Amino acid sequence: TDQSSRPLDLATLRCRPLAATYIYTICAFVCPTLTTSLARSVELAREVLGPDSFTVLSVGFDTLADTPEQMRHYADERGITVPGWYFASGDETTVARLAADLGFSYAPLAGGFDHVAQVTIVDADGRVYRQVYGPDFDPPMIVDPLKRLALGITTPERPVADFLNKVRLICTS
């Protein structure tokens, strides 16, 4: 369900690149920082590639608190009103299944969640293309893969570099 309480069929997001991230709206530091950093990258990427060249999806993984209304409030607090950026919520099974498909992991802790801060870049066919880790990143880390996908630029295989892109760094507190 999107931030306007409308059903969101993920199949409709295919046919163009997608930048996806998982957040929980009562997070005090990592999730807001990640969202703000992603917003800077999205703004730059839209200037370069055009407003309809890719989609953005932020999924709330605290399924009890991250309601459509809370997701809308979270977006509004950060001034994000970009068309094509969905703040979605769902039931536990759907959220967990999508998280597994995107390579995102999280676990409940007392007072919050232990989770990876990441943005997942998905190609137009729904395959994970790149993972960007950390709550704050330089815009080219998001813009470059979106540009490659939107413009159909292929990159040669690099076994060692590709392996390193699959390594997941986890920070917990």
Side-chain angles (χ1 to χ4, degrees), residues 1-3 8 10 13 18-25 31 34-36 38-39 42 55-61 66-67 71-72 74-75 78 80 84-90 95 98 102 118-120:
T1 306
D2 73 10
Q3 68 270 29
L8 180 62
L10 295 180
L13 303 183
L18 170 71
T21 186
Y22 267 73
I23 59 169
Y24 73 103
T25 58
C31 296
L34 174 69
T35 303
T36 300
L38 181 58
V42 166
T55 304
V56 184
L57 175 66
S58 293
V59 178
F61 61 87
D66 295 339
T67 63
M71 297 300 285
R72 183 176 57 253
Y74 181 87
R78 282 145 195 84
I80 299 172
W85 188 331
Y86 299 95
F87 285 82
S89 58
V95 168
L98 180 60
L102 294 178
Q118 78 184 50
V119 178
T120 303

Side-chain angles (χ1 to χ4, degrees), residues 22 24 27 30-31 61 104-107 113-117 170-171:
Y22 267 73
Y24 73 103
C27 178
V30 174
C31 296
F61 61 87
F104 178 78
S105 61
Y106 62 100
F113 289 88
D114 186 10
H115 66 94
V116 177
I170 299 175
C171 178

Side-chain angles (χ1 to χ4, degrees), residues 116-133:
V116 177
Q118 78 184 50
V119 178
T120 303
I121 307 297
V122 180
D123 70 15
D125 295 321
R127 292 183 304 255
V128 172
Y129 176 77
R130 176 86 35 91
Q131 302 282 17
V132 178
Y133 295 104

